[in-house]
Amino acid sequence: MVVHALYNAVVIHGPGRAALEKLPLPEVGPRDVLIKVAYVGICATDLEILQGELGYYKNGMGRYPITPGHEFSGVIARVGEQVEALTEGMPVVVECIQTCRRCEACRSENWIGCKERTEVGVLGRDGAYAEYVLVPGEFVHSLPARTDLRKAALCEPAAVVLKGLSRLQRVLGPGSRGRCAVVGAGPIGHLCSRSLALRGYEVRAFDQSPFRLGYFHGSAIQASTELTGLEEFDAIVEATGSPQALQLILEKSRPGCVLLLLGLPYASQPFNFETLVGYDKTVIGSVGSAAADLREAIHLLPRLDLTPFLQKTLPLEQYREAWELFHTRQFLKVMMAVNPG
Ligand SMILES: [Zn+2]
Ligand SMILES: [Zn+2]
């Protein structure tokens, strides 16, 4: 594969300061893999980094400059000599959260507890708003040949959903089949509703936007613009990050309800914990994903109708337009084609 010495990348230098730049290709270390990016999805996290509002950038853990982009697919361009089972030309996706796999937290699979972790395009490692991404080979997952790379860019958000659902499933029990509500029909809420329906749950999706709910038309998923009837559900997934929605769910859910929170950020809110204790409710938080979730996502995506996610794709050079479009909420997902192949 021909690899040019300079490549285009969007670099965020500080809050509100982003530019498309030509960067020299990084050296491919013995354990590294250089990936030619095919598609990258725009995520709210990217915009939070741009605005300096992401928690990591407020608490000093995250540092500029950084190239954003963690929802991506690509093709291997170079492989370090110690990397096994990966070869040039393979279609791949990459784990966003990259842990040390040695510390006490990692040994107990508490990945988010790893203090050494980096997150591609988010924390300490450049992401995929770029023609190339360099990552350690151990976090790279090959895709079946002829995979649609535009759809594959959705593996990362799907893995985030699957990690949350596996935590939810642990509480509900492996064979449970009940009624689930999913609050929020953005990309995460949408994938969550579809995944739960596929598992046999009766699902109702809630969103203020009839447009977003319209994507469920013709599926078994019910849709509602009013956040009411919450006492009907065995489990409720919150995927908006809205403290008001969360407050309502905590209060109105039925006794014994299990609540999975996937939204960020939730602002602090006065809350009476007796609502939980007095009614046997369980609250689960979940963020990010790990290797097993990404592998599951690779198998899940071909079984889902992803057309709603593929309505808008721009070239990398138009990243500012892509960000503008993201804000309009006209599309469930805005993607950028970097090297569409
Ligand atoms: Zn994301
Ligand atoms: Zn660790």
Side-chain angles (χ1 to χ4, degrees):
M1 188 179 291
V2 180
V3 176
H4 301 284
L6 290 173
Y7 70 104
N8 286 319
V10 175
V11 183
I12 301 178
H13 288 277
R17 291 188 291 127
L20 185 70
E21 296 177 4
K22 287 238 181 266
L23 302 180
L25 265 185
E27 189 124 346
V28 181
R31 293 171 189 276
D32 292 338
V33 170
L34 183 71
I35 297 165
K36 191 172 183 183
V37 177
Y39 291 92
V40 59
I42 312 279
C43 177
T45 304
D46 311 343
L47 279 302
E48 284 166 20
I49 296 170
L50 175 69
Q51 286 142 7
E53 282 166 7
L54 192 73
Y56 290 147
Y57 288 80
K58 281 189 186 162
N59 70 18
M61 248 176 105
R63 290 197 194 287
Y64 301 104
I66 186 159
T67 293
H70 57 279
E71 302 181 2
F72 70 101
S73 62
V75 173
I76 295 182
R78 289 278 183 276
V79 181
E81 63 236 23
Q82 286 173 27
V83 176
E84 289 167 18
L86 294 171
T87 52
E88 214 179 290
M90 264 186 182
V92 291
V93 288
V94 175
E95 290 171 53
C96 171
I97 300 179
Q98 306 191 344
T99 56
C100 79
R101 296 189 173 172
R102 289 183 305 273
C103 72
E104 205 181 315
C106 283
R107 285 203 304 271
S108 51
E109 297 192 6
N110 174 17
W111 310 116
I112 211 72
C114 176
K115 291 194 169 63
E116 304 280 303
R117 76 179 186 283
T118 59
E119 300 182 15
V120 179
V122 180
L123 179 69
R125 187 173 281 284
D126 284 329
Y129 279 43
E131 289 176 281
Y132 294 95
V133 170
L134 186 74
V135 287
E138 61 181 315
F139 301 107
V140 177
H141 296 257
S142 64
L143 298 166
R146 290 186 299 281
T147 295
D148 179 335
L149 288 175
R150 204 150 61 110
K151 291 181 181 171
L154 297 165
C155 280
E156 196 279 336
V160 169
V161 167
L162 291 173
K163 182 193 165 207
L165 292 186
S166 73
R167 308 196 77 192
L168 178 69
Q169 204 85 60
R170 248 182 267 162
V171 179
L172 291 175
S176 77
R177 293 290 173 269
R179 304 195 68 190
C180 279
V182 178
V183 180
I188 293 290
H190 187 106
L191 287 168
C192 195
S193 293
R194 297 252 179 213
S195 306
L196 283 166
L198 202 64
R199 290 179 188 199
Y201 287 93
E202 191 183 326
V203 181
R204 189 181 301 163
F206 292 88
D207 200 289
Q208 288 169 346
S209 156
F211 174 70
R212 290 202 154 176
L213 292 176
Y215 289 128
F216 294 121
H217 200 75
S219 77
I221 297 161
Q222 301 160 16
S224 175
T225 51
E226 296 293 325
L227 198 50
T228 54
L230 290 171
E231 66 288 348
E232 295 169 32
F233 302 97
D234 307 294
I236 303 178
V237 183
E238 208 303 313
T240 68
S242 152
Q244 291 80 13
L246 178 57
Q247 182 87 6
L248 209 62
I249 293 165
L250 289 165
E251 282 170 13
K252 303 286 184 190
S253 50
R254 69 159 60 149
C257 189
V258 185
L259 315 173
L260 169 65
L261 311 190
L262 292 178
L264 277 174
Y266 292 104
S268 60
Q269 188 94 335
F271 175 63
N272 182 350
F273 278 86
E274 237 175 280
T275 319
L276 290 183
V277 181
Y279 295 95
D280 272 0
K281 295 180 190 176
T282 307
V283 177
I284 304 163
S286 183
V287 70
S289 62
D293 310 302
L294 197 64
R295 278 195 294 270
E296 197 185 338
I298 292 169
H299 290 106
L300 171 73
L301 285 186
R303 301 175 65 199
L304 299 182
D305 174 14
L306 299 172
T307 16
F309 289 88
L310 308 175
Q311 306 299 312
K312 194 70 189 175
T313 306
L314 297 170
L316 178 66
E317 294 70 29
Q318 290 180 26
Y319 66 99
R320 287 187 188 280
E321 287 90 328
W323 284 342
E324 296 282 323
L325 276 176
F326 176 90
H327 285 301
T328 67
R329 296 167 62 92
Q330 278 181 64
F331 301 96
L332 189 57
K333 180 62 77 180
V334 178
M335 286 207 195
M336 292 192 291
V338 186
N339 297 291

